[in-house]
Amino acid sequence: MSTLEIKDLHVHVETKEGIKPILKGATLTVHSGETHAIMGPNGSGKSTLAYTLAGHPKYVVDSGEALLDGKDILKMTPDERAKAGLFLAMQYPVEIPGVSMTNFLRTAKTEIDGEAPGIRQWAKDLSAAMKRLKMDPKFASRSVNEGFSGGEKKKSEILQLLMLKPKLALLDETDSGLDVDAVKTVASGIKAYHNADNALIIITHNAKILEGLQVDYVHVLDDARIVRTGDGSLVNEIIEEGFTALKEDEAK
Ligand code: ADP
Ligand code: MG
């Protein structure tokens, strides 16, 4: 059983024009077994929250805490955070020329677990995960994300999720740019990963990726703050009515 507690997180970045605050007090608690969706207009701070938790050096924490099982992850290096069980599927996955997918996945798994996975089982699991994601086995020997299409990059993030089996997975718009069939494939990968021992935080604008998952909480991020939290029914309300209508409701 794991718990992530994000408490009153304030974050800024340095820009040419000076300091820009981009999170102004985000508070959120996630337990294993749960699925949380984070929705919000473009530029509201969703990726910032994900990057800050993963340890991107550009995002400076001014105050607040992020505790994973009581340990302050904000004091950890990004690799320590990964070892503690955190995983981020990036909105814009990076290419790593010269590092094959298989080497990357196996090295990451070995680092996280402190020992190399048994080779036979690993090969079997990798092949099954790629099959589930409808990825050509040839991708295993290609460099990480190099020359992958947008959709293939997103699938490669979910392949990492399936192989690394983190305690807490943050998925940042993993569905954006995917065709309808690929969204279903990716959603089935996420469903296969999720169980009572891990937690999902899914940043999305789309209900399709949440299909088949029970969404326990939806958080609406707007202008750097979580302005509303509700149950899974909030997803469709937002998709049908939009964020502006939601704000008008709040103001009444
Ligand atoms: P979202 O993911 O919700 O669309 P982001 O978290 O990416 O939003 O960005 C929130 C705001 O912070 C945006 O206005 C964005 O331009 C700004 N921002 C994010 N990262 C940087 C950065 N590295 N430099 C300057 N501005 C940034
Ligand atoms: Mg974003």
Side-chain angles (χ1 to χ4, degrees), residues 11-25:
V11 175
H12 77 259
V13 284
E14 306 258 354
T15 68
K16 280 187 204 125
E17 294 80 42
I19 283 177
K20 177 173 176 168
I22 23 183
L23 277 184
K24 301 173 188 164

Side-chain angles (χ1 to χ4, degrees), residues 13 15 20 22 41-48 58-59 91:
V13 284
T15 68
K20 177 173 176 168
I22 23 183
N42 296 323
S44 56
K46 303 180 299 295
S47 292
T48 298
K58 193 117 186 118
Y59 299 87
Q91 183 171 3

